[in-house]
Every structure is written in structure tokens, then in C-alpha cells.
């Protein structure tokens, strides 16, 4: 991970000391003093280390891609079951019988709750939303024979209730408040009147701090989704068919995501219809409907702060919860100003419980060991139960709620200059999803601005966004990069394109090297070449050479090696940048490549021999060989490869003498004696010198 310092304010002061009121333009301006541009290798490392799981890449995409899960939706399903949120009056008997047919008690405490209701006459049934509390309440009353069932307005006061003889009453979704808490005295008062009339009542409610501690609650945990689906299928088809349907891969995947019962019930009808397309697409449509529901809810039902948390969780899925919550409040502040800039309310410091927040978001906490620049640390990561939620949610916000775009883009701007590589990488991944959803808007509102920024971090985040967008098959990304790399009038975009070429180039090495050669030649002809572009070109070539497309890239470099001074310099500089690369393995990457290849060995030897004999590149080539020899002193495999490579560097007496001198003078690490491997390799080179 990068350890770049956090950016200072425009005047060198910390953000806390800057003027409190700033225009949007000044918020997006970059500080005068910027951290050094991150090296290409470090950028690729951070890209791979911090990418969302759906964007992880080793040459082939794995798992779910955004392209697979974002598309046009032409059909929606209404959820089944008893839904009336403000039902009042007698519930029809046929409704009770219909619900009883599909009601499942397997794995629940239903029987114990029935006995409690018989004894106590009133139950306060608590549980999470969408767990079947309403249906359970009705089935409890039916089980004790308390019919007909009267639905009572939840705003009615308990002391005003007048129960009938031998009947049931139900209060759906009671919402106690600070002003009107649910107290034990009121429950006891109702209970006495119910007993006198031989009647029963069930009150359903969520988890609330405004229920008196002395109220004896009846917690409800729903049956497993598979048990419910199995029961519904067995009512509709024979046992063999039901088991076959439950074993379908799409059904197994659906049930593994902790689906809500309101989503499970309609699925039985879809399965019975046996339409393969509908069976495959149902889970995706339920997911999209859930996301739409979150953002269509009013502020009173689902607060803006929690909507901001959902967006942040989509960006930082499987990332640290504390970080996600911290950055979600920054987004909330921006969204709040968009909705009502005059109110100026502060973000509450406390008040949002982690468990409730994640339950509403259909997410979970996972403890995991995460690698950092300080070593592994234990972190609590927040993740959606369904990883497909993140891109679907970002798409919904971007396309379904365009009024949120100014706040969202401002937030992403802030993330793109954050000192933490994880934050910047996830900001780039979020923008990639926006580019897949709406490329013109994502380019104009975010990526082009970042590419033109004076901030190296924002430029790097633009590179990452383009790279991720290409991974998830957003349209025309190579075309954009090719166009920018040929634009001498926009050097910042040109630099972004060169870095992006190095990252996506392994998928199209021939086209990438053609673009890099053209740019190298254009820079060669300029009176004063752009220094950042000049130094970035060989790094992108090096990334290509040390990728899975290395053999192809090397052939392409050698094909035009003698065409022009610029192509010769590009090949040598890129090759030497690859030679100087080290990683965590004992054997240097280019030496390891030489060991495993057959088609590229002659080309590697040719370029190294040429670099050693060129006045411009001789010093860098010798430094690379020094490093390899020191590595060989610690790693027998490296010495074995060098024993094959070094003789290939000798075709004439001068080359033999140069190599012998290099082996005689290679310095040891940290001032130590010459590596013993140098002496052993010298013995192999001396007989090769022509007489």
C-alpha cells in the first residue's frame, strides 16, 4: 500500500484551518503542493489489492461483473403475502385460510408462542422487517381459535380498545415513540379486558428503545427460506419435482443470499411455471426492486443519512465498516446541502446502531486480516449479503436520481485525493460502474476532470477508473485511451492514457505498443519533450513485458527496433525498466521470465547485450546485472538462470571483456565483499572469449 502524505490545503494549511465557506469550484481545486506521482508498479499493486471482488483481474474476469448484473429491466413482481400497512376492520376468513396454507413453522418457536398467547392473552411480537411478523400474528390468533380477527388501528390508545367476545385483535407495526412509549401498565390493562372476554391480541413491532423493559416481548425468528420454498412447492407439485426445482443452480444461489420471505413466496410460482429465463432473472429483479425501494422511501421512513450509508457501502463493499461509516457521513453532508442548503444541521455524532443499519442494508460484518503497509491487522469489514447489490445500487442512484449527481461527484472528488490508496481505488471502481451505466456523463462529470487535474492523485484515480471500466466491459475505453495518447495538446490526458495503456495493455499488446511507439516518435520530434510523458513511456512498456503478454510485446518491440531512434530508445528504456523491477520473490521478474520462456530468450539476450553496449544505457544495464548477481548469491535458481543467460551476451571479444569486468567488479550488498556467485559465473564466461 502507498504511504503518500495527505494533501494539504491550497495555502499549505490543514483543511480544518481553511475558510469554512467555499464555492463548488474551490472545493474541486487542487492544492499547490502535491505528493509525488505514484510509480506504475505501485499503481498496479494498489489496483489489484483494493479492487472490489467483481473487478479482480488476472487476465480473465472472475465472478460477477457489472455488465452481467446491470441491464434494462422490463418486468417487476409484486411481493405476495398479507401487506396492508394500515389495515383496519375484520380480516376475512378466506385470507386467514390462504395464509395458513403456506405458513411454515419448521425451525421456529411458533408452538411455544401459541402456548404463551393462550396463557397471557396478549403478545408483543418483535422481529426484523420482512420476516413474516404479520402473518405470524394472524396464525397465532387462528391457532388459539381467536376468530374472527379484528385489525386495530395502530394509533388507537390501548385504554380505548373494546375487545369482543371470543375473538382476536391484531395491531400491525406499532411504532412506540419517546412521547408514546409502550408501557407494561397498558399491556396489563388490555390483558385484563381480553381475559374477561375470552379474547386474544397480538401486537407486532420492531426493535425499539421506547418499549419499557418490563414488557415481556415475544421475539420472532422466521423459518429458513428453503423450508418455506419447499413447503410452497410441495403444495403445487409432486415431491420429486419439488426436490428437482430446489436443486437448480439458480435456486441454490438465490437461497444462499438470505432472501427475505416476501421474496421467497412469489418464487414458488415462478419455479412451477418452469420458465428458465424467469427462474434465472428473478433474483436480479428482486435485488433491483429492493434498491429502488430504498431510494424511493421518504425521509421519515428511511433517513437520508442511511441512504448515504448505502451508497458508501456500495463503493466500499467488503471494506472496513468504520471507514465506510466515516465517508458516508461526508456524502450525507453533501446530499443534505443539496436537499435543503438553508437548514445547515450538523451530522449527529451518535444514534445509528451498527446492527440495525446493516440489517436494513441487508449487509453483514466480517472479521478479516487485512494486509497494510504496517503488516496484517484485524478489521471488521461491512459487506452486502449479495455482492451484486453494489453496482445495482450505484446505477440506481446515478440514473434514477440525477438530482444527487452534484453531491455524488463532489464526494467522489474528495475520495480521489484521499491519502489512503484503498479509498482512491474504490472511488475509481465506483466511477467505472457509472461509466458502464452512462459513459458520456461519467466521462464529462468525473473522469475527464480528473484526467485534467493538477493533482497527481486525481490523475491516478482517473487511470484506475478507466482500467476498471475496461475490465467490466464499459464501451469504447481503448478508443478513449488511444485518442488521449495521441493528443499532444492535452499532456495531462496523454499521461493518463500512457499509464492506462500499461495497465490494460496485456489484453491488446500489439495495439498498445503501436500507440506508445507513435507517441514516442511524436515526443522525439518536439523541441522540448514533456518530461512526465517521456519517463512514463518506458514504465508502460515494462508493465507489458512483465505481463502474461510479455512474449508478444517483446516480438512487437523487436519488429520495429531499428525503424527509428525513438523506437530503439523506447524498446531499450522499457526493457531496462523491466530489468530493474524487483518483487517479493527471490528471483527477479525478468530473470524468471527468461527461465520459463522459449520463444523470448533470444530477444531478451539481444536487448540486454545491446543495452550493455550502448553509451546511453550501459550504466543502467550494468546496475540491473549487479542486482541479478546479488540475487543469485541468495537464490540458487537465479544463479542457474544467469549461467544460461550470461553466455548468450557474448558474441565478440569486447563483449566478453566487458562482462568479465562487470563480474570482477560487482559490489556486494551494503558494502560487503563481492558475491560468491559472481566468481562462479565468471568461470563460465571466461572460456567464451574468442581468441
Amino acid at each position: 500500500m502507498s504511504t503518500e502524505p495527505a494533501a494539504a490545503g491550497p495555502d499549505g494549511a490543514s483543511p480544518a484551518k481553511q475558510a469554512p465557506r467555499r464555492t463548488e469550484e474551490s472545493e474541486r481545486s487542487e492544492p499547490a503542493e502535491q505528493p509525488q506521482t505514484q510509480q506504475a508498479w505501485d499503481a498496479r499493486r494498489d489496483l489489484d489489492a483494493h479492487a472490489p471482488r467483481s473487478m479482480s483481474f488476472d487476465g480473465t474476469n472472475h465472478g460477477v461483473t457489472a455488465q452481467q448484473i446491470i441491464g434494462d429491466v422490463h418486468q417487476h413482481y409484486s411481493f405476495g403475502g398479507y401487506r396492508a400497512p394500515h389495515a383496519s376492520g375484520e380480516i376475512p376468513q378466506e385470507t386467514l385460510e390462504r395464509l395458513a396454507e403456506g405458513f411454515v413453522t419448521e425451525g421456529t418457536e411458533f408452538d411455544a408462542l401459541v402456548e404463551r398467547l393462550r396463557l397471557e392473552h396478549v403478545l408483543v411480537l418483535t422481529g426484523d422487517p420482512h420476516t413474516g411478523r404479520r402473518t405470524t400474528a394472524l396464525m397465532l390468533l387462528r391457532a388459539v381459535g381467536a376468530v374472527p380477527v379484528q385489525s386495530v388501528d395502530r394509533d388507537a390508545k390501548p385504554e380505548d380498545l373494546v375487545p369482543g367476545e371470543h375473538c382476536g385483535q391484531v395491531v400491525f407495526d406499532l411504532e412506540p415513540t419517546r412521547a408514546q412509549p409502550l408501557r407494561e401498565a397498558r399491556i396489563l390493562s388490555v390483558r385484563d379486558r381480553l381475559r374477561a372476554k375470552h379474547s386474544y391480541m397480538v401486537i407486532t413491532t420492531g426493535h425499539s428503545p421506547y418499549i419499557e423493559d418490563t414488557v415481556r416481548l415475544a421475539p420472532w425468528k422466521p423459518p429458513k427460506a428453503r423450508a418455506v420454498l419447499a413447503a410452497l412447492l410441495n403444495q403445487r407439485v409432486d415431491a420429486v419435482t419439488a426436490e428437482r426445482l430446489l436443486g437448480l443452480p439458480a435456486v441454490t444461489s438465490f437461497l444462499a443470499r438470505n432472501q427475505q420471505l416476501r421474496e421467497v413466496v412469489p418464487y414458488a410460482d415462478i419455479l412451477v411455471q418452469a420458465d428458465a429465463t424467469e427462474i434465472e432473472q428473478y433474483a436480479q429483479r428482486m435485488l433491483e426492486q429492493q434498491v429502488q425501494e430504498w431510494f424511493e422511501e421518504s425521509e421519515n421512513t428511511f433517513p437520508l443519512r442511511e441512504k448515504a450509508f448505502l451508497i458508501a457501502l456500495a463503493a466500499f463493499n467488503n471494506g472496513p465498516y468504520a471507514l465506510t461509516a466515516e465517508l458516508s457521513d461526508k456524502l450525507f453532508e453533501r446530499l443534505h446541502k443539496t436537499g435543503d442548503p438553508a437548514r445547515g444541521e450538523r451530522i449527529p455524532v451518535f444514534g445509528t446502531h451498527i446492527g440495525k443499519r446493516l440489517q436494513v442494508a441487508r449487509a453483514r460484518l466480517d472479521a478479516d486480516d487485512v494486509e497494510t503497509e504496517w503488516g496484517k491487522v484485524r478489521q471488521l469489514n461491512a459487506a452486502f449479503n449479495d455482492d451484486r447489490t453494489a453496482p445495482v445500487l450505484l446505477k440506481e442512484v446515478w440514473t434514477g436520481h440525477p438530482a444527487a449527481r452534484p453531491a455524488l461527484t463532489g464526494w467522489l472528488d474528495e475520495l480521489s485525493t484521499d491519502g489512503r490508496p484503498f479509498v482512491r481505488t474504490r472511488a475509481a471502481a465506483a466511477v467505472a460502474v457509472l461509466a458502464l451505466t452512462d459513459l458520456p456523463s461519467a466521462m464529462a462529470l468525473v473522469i475527464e476532470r480528473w484526467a485534467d487535474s493538477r493533482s497527481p492523485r486525481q490523475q491516478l484515480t482517473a487511470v484506475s477508473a478507466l482500467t476498471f471500466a475496461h475490465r467490466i466491459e464499459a464501451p469504447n475505453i481503448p478508443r478513449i485511451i488511444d485518442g488521449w495518447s495521441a493528443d499532444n495538446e492535452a499532456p495531462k490526458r496523454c499521461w493518463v492514457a500512457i499509464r492506462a495503456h500499461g495497465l490494460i495493455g496485456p489484453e491488446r499488446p500489439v495495439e498498445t505498443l503501436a500507440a506508445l511507439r507513435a507517441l514516442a516518435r511524436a515526443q522525439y520530434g518536439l523541441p522540448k519533450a514533456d518530461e512526465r510523458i517521456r519517463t512514463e513511456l518506458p514504465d508502460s512498456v515494462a508493465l507489458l513485458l512483465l505481463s502474461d503478454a510479455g512474449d508478444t510485446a517483446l516480438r512487437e518491440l523487436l519488429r520495429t527496433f531499428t525503424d527509428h531512434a525513438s523506437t530503439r530508445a523506447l524498446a531499450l528504456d522499457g526493457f531496462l525498466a523491466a530489468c530493474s523491477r524487483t518483487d517479493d520473490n527471490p528471483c527477479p521478474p525478468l530473470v524468471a521470465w527468461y527461465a520459463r520462456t522459449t520463444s523470448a530468450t533470444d530477444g531478451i539476450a539481444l536487448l540486454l547485450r545491446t543495452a550493455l553496449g550502448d553509451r546511453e544505457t550501459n550504466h543502467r544495464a550494468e546496475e540491473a546485472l549487479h542486482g541479478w548477481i546479488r540475487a543469485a548469491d541468495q537464490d540458487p535458481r537465479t544463479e542457474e538462470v544467469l549461467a544460461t543467460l550470461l553466455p548468450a551476451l557474448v558474441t565478440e571479444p569486447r563483449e566478453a571483456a566487458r562482462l568479465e569486468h562487470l563480474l570482477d567488479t560487482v559490489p556486494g550488498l551494503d558494502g560487503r565483499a563481492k558475491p560468491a556467485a559472481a566468481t562462479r559465473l565468471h568461470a563460465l564466461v571466461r572460456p567464451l572469449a574468442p581468441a
Side-chain angles (χ1 to χ4, degrees):
M1 294 177 66
S2 173
T3 56
E4 299 166 328
D11 57 357
S14 67
K17 295 181 179 179
Q18 296 173 22
R21 298 179 63 86
R22 297 183 296 174
T23 64
E24 180 179 349
E25 186 62 32
S26 66
E27 283 185 331
R28 292 181 176 178
S29 64
E30 298 82 16
E33 294 185 11
Q34 292 292 337
Q36 292 293 319
T37 301
Q38 190 181 38
Q39 294 299 310
W41 306 99
D42 296 332
R44 186 170 72 175
R45 177 203 61 206
D46 287 344
L47 204 67
D48 293 337
H50 305 311
R53 290 176 183 174
S54 60
M55 297 184 187
S56 296
F57 190 72
D58 58 4
T60 304
N61 273 320
H62 298 284
V64 180
T65 68
Q67 182 67 58
Q68 291 173 301
I69 65 174
I70 296 181
D72 295 330
V73 179
H74 303 291
Q75 182 176 359
H76 294 283
Y77 297 93
S78 60
F79 297 123
Y82 187 82
R83 296 201 55 187
H86 301 291
S88 183
E90 185 176 314
I91 295 174
Q93 184 64 29
E94 56 268 26
T95 298
L96 297 178
E97 297 306 319
R98 176 174 57 82
L99 292 175
E101 290 176 2
F103 187 65
V104 176
T105 62
E106 178 185 334
T108 72
E109 298 293 326
F110 182 78
D111 291 340
L113 293 176
V114 169
E115 293 307 312
R116 272 193 61 185
L117 181 58
R118 289 188 195 278
L119 178 65
E120 300 174 19
H121 285 262
V122 59
L123 281 183
V124 179
L125 193 68
T126 63
D128 296 331
H130 312 303
T131 54
R133 292 179 313 199
R134 291 167 173 247
T135 300
T136 303
L138 295 174
M139 293 302 97
L140 286 170
L141 292 169
R142 179 178 179 273
V144 297
V147 291
V149 176
Q150 185 80 14
S151 177
V152 178
D153 191 326
R154 63 183 176 184
D155 292 328
K157 295 181 180 180
E159 56 267 26
D160 296 335
L161 297 179
V162 181
E165 293 280 352
H166 299 281
C167 69
Q169 292 188 319
V170 61
V171 179
F172 291 125
D173 299 332
L174 182 69
E175 295 181 355
T177 64
R178 184 186 298 275
Q180 290 186 321
L182 183 58
R183 300 188 185 280
E184 182 187 30
R186 292 186 170 185
I187 297 296
L188 295 176
S189 173
V190 172
R191 177 176 298 159
D192 290 341
R193 277 173 280 152
L194 289 167
R195 278 180 175 157
K197 298 282 189 175
H198 304 286
S199 295
Y200 300 85
M201 172 181 283
V202 178
I203 301 169
T204 70
T205 185
H207 306 289
S208 172
Y210 304 117
I211 299 177
E212 200 168 57
D213 291 344
T214 51
V215 174
R216 190 182 177 203
L217 303 177
W220 171 246
K221 297 292 184 182
K224 298 294 185 183
R226 192 183 193 281
V228 174
L229 188 58
L232 294 172
L233 287 174
N234 280 304
Q235 292 174 7
R236 293 162 170 79
V237 296
D238 60 81
V240 174
T241 303
E243 196 60 32
R244 178 183 61 81
L245 292 173
L246 286 169
L248 292 174
V251 178
T252 302
S253 176
F254 172 81
L255 294 174
R257 297 191 183 103
N258 299 320
Q259 302 291 154
Q260 295 174 348
L261 294 185
R262 62 172 182 163
E263 298 161 348
V264 173
V265 172
Y267 200 27
D269 292 328
I270 300 297
L271 293 175
V272 170
Q273 293 168 12
D275 185 317
T277 300
E278 297 300 335
I279 291 173
E280 290 287 341
Q281 295 181 355
Y282 178 78
Q284 173 67 23
R285 288 177 172 142
M286 291 300 96
L287 171 59
E288 290 171 341
Q289 186 160 321
Q290 172 65 88
V291 171
Q292 291 169 1
E293 181 181 293
W294 279 331
F295 290 99
E296 288 171 358
E297 291 283 5
S298 68
E299 173 73 8
N300 292 333
T301 305
F302 194 43
L304 181 62
R305 191 183 188 191
E306 299 313 306
K307 293 174 183 175
F309 175 76
L310 285 173
I311 298 171
L313 184 57
F316 299 104
N317 194 31
N318 287 296
Y321 171 82
L323 174 68
T324 304
E326 169 204 334
L327 296 175
S328 76
D329 278 344
K330 293 181 180 292
L331 176 58
F332 165 66
E333 187 174 21
R334 290 178 179 274
L335 290 168
H336 190 270
K337 290 178 181 177
T338 299
D340 190 356
R343 288 173 63 182
E345 295 180 358
R346 294 184 178 275
I347 300 173
V349 177
F350 302 108
T352 303
H353 185 268
I354 295 177
K356 182 177 180 181
R357 165 174 269 179
L358 294 177
Q359 187 271 324
V360 172
R362 302 177 74 167
R364 66 186 185 277
L365 280 181
D366 295 324
D368 194 16
D369 291 326
V370 179
E371 191 68 49
T372 72
E373 57 262 51
W374 306 283
K376 284 188 177 181
V377 296
R378 194 76 169 168
Q379 290 189 149
L380 281 178
N381 293 336
F384 287 113
N385 293 330
D386 186 343
D387 279 342
R388 302 173 306 167
T389 305
V392 170
L393 191 150
L394 291 171
K395 176 203 171 188
E396 171 65 20
V397 172
W398 189 249
T399 60
H401 305 273
R405 286 187 176 186
L408 185 60
T409 55
W411 181 65
L412 290 168
D413 286 344
E414 188 175 0
L415 301 185
S416 70
T417 59
D418 194 283
R420 295 162 287 193
F422 176 80
V423 174
R424 298 196 303 272
T425 303
R426 287 306 188 88
V431 172
V433 175
L434 306 185
L436 174 63
T437 302
D438 179 4
L439 181 65
S441 295
M443 290 298 298
L445 297 178
V446 185
I447 297 176
E448 287 179 345
R449 287 194 305 100
W450 288 357
D452 293 332
S453 171
R454 291 186 293 113
S455 165
R457 284 180 180 162
Q458 279 198 325
Q459 288 186 304
L460 283 167
T461 312
V463 172
S464 299
L466 290 169
T467 304
F468 282 138
H470 181 65
R471 286 186 183 181
I472 61 176
E473 301 179 20
N476 303 322
I477 300 302
R479 177 179 175 181
I480 291 168
I481 294 172
D482 289 345
W484 283 6
S485 65
D487 189 356
N488 289 323
E489 300 300 319
K492 292 176 182 176
R493 292 190 186 188
C494 185
W495 181 89
V496 167
I498 297 170
R499 175 63 63 87
H501 272 311
L503 294 173
I504 74 168
E507 298 179 43
R508 50 195 299 271
V510 175
E511 296 86 346
T512 296
L513 281 170
L516 296 178
R517 279 196 305 268
L519 184 55
R521 188 155 189 166
Q523 290 291 310
Y524 185 86
L526 293 177
K528 186 177 181 181
D530 186 285
E531 184 64 20
R532 288 186 75 215
I533 292 175
R534 186 187 67 78
T535 56
E536 188 63 33
L537 281 167
D539 283 347
S540 288
V541 172
L543 285 171
L544 278 174
L545 289 174
L546 295 182
S547 72
D548 291 340
D551 288 7
T552 302
L554 181 60
R555 285 196 301 271
E556 188 65 14
L557 283 176
L558 294 175
R559 184 180 66 80
T560 60
F561 186 55
T562 58
D563 286 1
H564 189 267
S566 62
T567 58
R568 186 179 190 276
L570 180 67
L572 289 178
D573 290 343
F575 175 75
L576 289 174
C579 288
S580 64
R581 178 65 185 160
T582 59
D583 56 22
D584 294 334
N585 296 318
C587 187
L590 196 134
V591 176
W593 177 27
Y594 185 87
R596 69 174 180 268
T597 188
T598 55
S599 60
T601 52
D602 291 342
I604 291 172
L606 171 62
L607 287 177
L608 184 54
R609 188 167 59 245
T610 304
L612 285 167
D614 188 294
R615 186 175 300 176
E616 294 291 328
T617 59
N618 170 262
H619 178 70
R620 283 179 287 157
E622 288 186 347
E623 285 297 314
L625 271 175
H626 287 166
W628 293 355
I629 294 165
R630 286 190 289 267
D633 212 37
Q634 305 296 321
D635 177 46
R637 175 59 177 157
T638 300
E639 182 175 349
E640 181 182 333
V641 179
L642 290 181
T644 303
L645 172 60
L646 294 184
L649 303 179
V650 177
T651 61
E652 59 179 38
R654 186 176 61 175
E655 292 170 347
R658 180 172 57 230
L659 194 53
E660 283 190 273
H661 176 72
L662 184 148
L663 290 166
D664 283 338
T665 59
V666 57
L669 190 64
D670 296 331
R672 296 179 216 168
K674 182 177 72 172
T679 302
R680 294 191 293 270
L681 292 169
H682 187 278
L684 297 174
V685 172
R686 183 178 291 114
L688 298 173

